Amino acid sequence: MNTIDSINNSRAELIKTLWRGRLTIFIMSILFISFAIFYSYRSTLLWTTATEVSINKNYFLPKNTQILLDNIATNKKTSNEIKLLFSNKNIAKEYIETIESTDNQVDFINMINSTSSKDKIKKIVIKVINNNEQYKIIINSENKKQISNLLNKYIEYSKEVANKSIITTLNHILDENKIREIVKLNRLEERAKVKINIEKKNVEYNLKIAEKIGLINPIPSSNDSDFYFGSRVLSEKLEILKNIKDLSLISPEISYVTENIKSLDKVVISNKLDFYKISIMSEQSVSKANYGKNKLIIIISSVVGLFFGFSLVLIKSEFNK
């Protein structure tokens, strides 16, 4: 019975102590709540909006663009590279990597912030929905009126960046193809020169034999289809071999490769080519991005203020004893 009385007395004493210090508790709570409200007021209110976009898979390249690609694809290797580059999978992959790229988001923010004082952006959050290649894009901004416009700008900006990347890769394929054709031409020319040198040595050898035996004009051999050429014919043939300038006479493939190089040199890839068709799949709705966060800060500050108030009153009470 004494234990229960002791507990009741302790509770009563605690309540009395807290009641006597109610002003301190109230002041501490007000201080913390005021600080939270002040912080929330001073912190920038961010707005958020989102939409879903998709890439049109059934987009056919314009005729002039297709002709351009055919002119670049002068061999099987290059043709395969171009097919892979313009496959639906790669086009979509390029766009996904662009909209998710941190560097792309930073570049976009810097571009907007440097060109406009109204459309300040603090953060962009990207979420990709793997559902039939639909991508959800979320953007946060201080400017409620301009946020939808900013989201549309980011969609278009990302499309342009991805498109430029495709053009850059296409230029790289063109340059590599030129190099391959030039290397191929050099090899063919070297082989043709070797053939000419071998043929010249054979003619020189036969010429020496013909001069030694005094054979001037060609005579038939035992085989009706063959002739032993005399020194006159061999001399003329040797002179022709020495004066050959067009190596395609020795290796006809040189003509085809030379024409490929000339054709590739004429190819100019315009920076205005557009390989993307983006469709917006859902309407945008604008809401407060950090409203819940500020509300939570005020609630937590209220609890912390009460805790410090209680603690201060109890410590002061113990110290007075």
Side-chain angles (χ1 to χ4, degrees), residues 7 18 29 43-44 98 111 118 123 185 192 205 238 247 249 254 257 263 276-277 300 309 314:
I7 292 173
L18 293 176
S29 298
S43 65
T44 304
T98 300
M111 181 195 73
K118 296 179 180 180
K123 185 171 69 170
L185 177 63
Y205 177 74
L238 182 61
L247 296 177
L249 296 173
I254 289 176
V257 177
S263 176
Y276 280 95
K277 291 296 179 184
I300 293 175
L314 293 176

Side-chain angles (χ1 to χ4, degrees), residues 47-143:
W47 300 87
T48 185
T49 189
T51 192
E52 291 181 5
V53 301
S54 69
I55 299 171
N56 188 348
K57 286 184 173 183
N58 298 320
Y59 172 53
F60 293 98
L61 296 175
K63 184 178 179 180
N64 291 340
T65 304
Q66 191 60 58
I67 292 173
L68 171 70
L69 299 181
D70 292 340
N71 288 336
I72 297 174
T74 56
N75 53 62
K76 186 175 180 180
K77 181 177 177 60
T78 305
S79 179
N80 290 336
E81 289 175 347
I82 291 175
K83 285 180 181 178
L84 178 62
L85 178 64
F86 290 98
S87 64
N88 290 328
K89 183 178 180 181
N90 187 69
I91 291 289
K93 177 175 173 287
E94 192 69 45
Y95 188 71
I96 293 172
E97 291 178 351
T98 300
I99 63 176
E100 290 185 305
S101 169
T102 302
D103 291 339
N104 185 61
Q105 295 170 31
V106 171
D107 291 342
F108 177 72
I109 290 172
N110 291 336
M111 181 195 73
I112 294 297
N113 290 345
S114 64
T115 57
S116 174
S117 59
K118 296 179 180 180
D119 301 337
K120 294 295 182 181
I121 305 176
K122 293 298 183 182
K123 185 171 69 170
I124 300 175
V125 181
I126 304 299
K127 181 180 179 182
V128 178
I129 301 175
N130 294 320
N131 182 17
N132 296 324
E133 295 182 355
Q134 291 184 13
Y135 317 112
K136 185 175 183 180
I137 305 177
I138 305 170
I139 187 171
N140 295 338
S141 171
E142 300 172 10
N143 196 321

Side-chain angles (χ1 to χ4, degrees), residues 249-268:
L249 296 173
I250 306 300
S251 178
E253 192 178 354
I254 289 176
S255 297
Y256 299 113
V257 177
T258 302
E259 288 303 314
N260 283 344
I261 294 174
K262 290 179 180 178
S263 176
L264 292 172
D265 285 337
K266 294 178 182 178
V267 174
V268 177

Side-chain angles (χ1 to χ4, degrees), residues 161-248:
V161 171
N163 194 70
K164 286 180 181 177
S165 179
I166 296 291
I167 292 175
T168 299
T169 304
L170 185 59
N171 271 300
H172 182 67
I173 291 174
L174 173 61
D175 292 339
E176 280 194 334
N177 195 22
K178 285 181 183 178
I179 293 172
R180 279 196 292 264
E181 292 298 308
I182 291 172
V183 170
K184 187 177 181 180
L185 177 63
N186 290 338
R187 287 176 179 173
L188 289 171
E189 288 179 342
E190 288 300 320
R191 289 174 186 172
K193 290 176 182 177
V194 169
K195 287 182 179 180
I196 291 174
N197 287 331
I198 292 174
E199 186 65 19
K200 282 197 297 187
K201 287 181 180 180
N202 288 333
V203 172
E204 288 173 352
Y205 177 74
N206 291 328
L207 179 60
K208 287 181 181 179
I209 294 175
E211 288 176 345
K212 191 149 188 173
I213 63 175
L215 181 61
I216 299 175
N217 297 314
I219 59 173
S221 67
S222 57
N223 188 339
D224 292 340
S225 62
D226 292 335
F227 281 84
Y228 291 117
F229 291 102
S231 57
R232 183 179 298 170
V233 174
L234 291 172
S235 296
E236 291 178 0
K237 186 176 181 180
L238 182 61
E239 191 65 24
I240 291 172
L241 289 172
K242 288 180 179 179
N243 293 317
I244 287 179
K245 302 297 181 182
D246 186 1
L247 296 177
S248 63

